[in-house]
Amino acid sequence: MATADTSLPSNAAPAAKVPLMTLLVCCAVSVVFAVCGAAGTMVFLARSGRLGTVGASAVTATAKKYSESTTHAKALEPMLINLADEGGHAYLRVGVVLAQEDEPGPKTKEEAKPVAGADAAVRDTIFDVLGRQTSTVLLAPDGKEKLKGELMAAIGRQNPELRVKTIYFTDFLVQR
């Protein structure tokens, strides 16, 4: 007595086999895409600076860190200054931020402390320079840039230990 296999219906097709060459081509294409994706990610991270350097010595990193000059911002309280206009009724309200260059090399706690009286000396220098200005000169198209140059020169003469690189105005209001 022969038993018939009843698991498949009589009109069902047998399972199709995938040719070996097609399977190999699909695997190769998948590997190529994976490698290109990983390489593209590495290039993107390296160019954006998010990929750290592997194998750099600590001495080189420390030397580079201290060879580059860094700056920090020193914000002064807003100032109200009488300008040198005729009649003495012109005022300037100005907010100043100084970008100061840090000294290269590691700092001890004593060296990191701000210089006593430096703010007062800088404010005095700023009052001296601004007190000689007129509203017409300050409101000229290049008035603020000329003023920054004068302030840089005056602060450099009066307070050379501060090493001011740039001056920023955060407030600048002239009232006549």
Side-chain angles (χ1 to χ4, degrees):
M1 180 159 144
T3 59
D5 186 20
T6 58
S7 61
L8 291 176
S10 61
N11 61 356
K17 288 186 176 181
V18 178
L20 182 62
M21 190 55 105
T22 305
L23 185 61
L24 289 175
V25 168
C26 288
C27 288
V29 168
S30 298
V31 168
V32 167
F33 277 126
V35 168
C36 288
T41 302
M42 296 296 283
V43 168
F44 172 76
L45 290 175
R47 286 191 180 194
S48 68
R50 295 181 186 156
L51 183 66
T53 57
V54 178
S57 69
V59 174
T60 305
T62 304
K64 183 179 178 183
K65 179 180 173 185
Y66 292 124
S67 67
E68 296 174 354
S69 65
T70 58
T71 60
H72 68 276
K74 173 70 177 160
L76 301 175
E77 291 183 27
M79 296 174 256
L80 185 62
I81 300 160
N82 294 329
L83 295 175
D85 285 11
E86 294 218 12
H89 296 293
Y91 303 96
L92 171 66
R93 177 184 159 91
V94 65
V96 178
V97 175
L98 306 174
Q100 295 175 275
E101 183 178 355
D102 295 331
E103 302 227 4
K107 293 188 185 220
T108 64
K109 287 183 181 179
E110 194 63 34
E111 292 174 331
K113 289 183 181 177
V115 178
D119 283 353
V122 170
R123 288 176 64 86
D124 182 62
T125 304
I126 291 172
F127 277 121
D128 183 45
V129 171
L130 291 177
R132 290 184 264 127
Q133 303 294 321
T134 63
S135 61
T136 308
V137 170
L138 293 177
L139 294 175
D142 62 342
K144 291 181 189 93
E145 290 304 315
K146 285 183 180 178
L147 180 61
K148 285 181 183 182
E150 288 180 38
L151 285 172
M152 290 278 293
I155 292 172
R157 280 191 311 271
Q158 300 294 326
N159 309 297
E161 72 278 358
L162 295 180
R163 300 171 59 164
V164 176
K165 289 184 76 168
T166 308
I167 294 178
Y168 300 104
F169 294 130
T170 56
D171 293 326
F172 200 90
L173 176 68
V174 175
Q175 180 178 345
R176 296 183 197 187

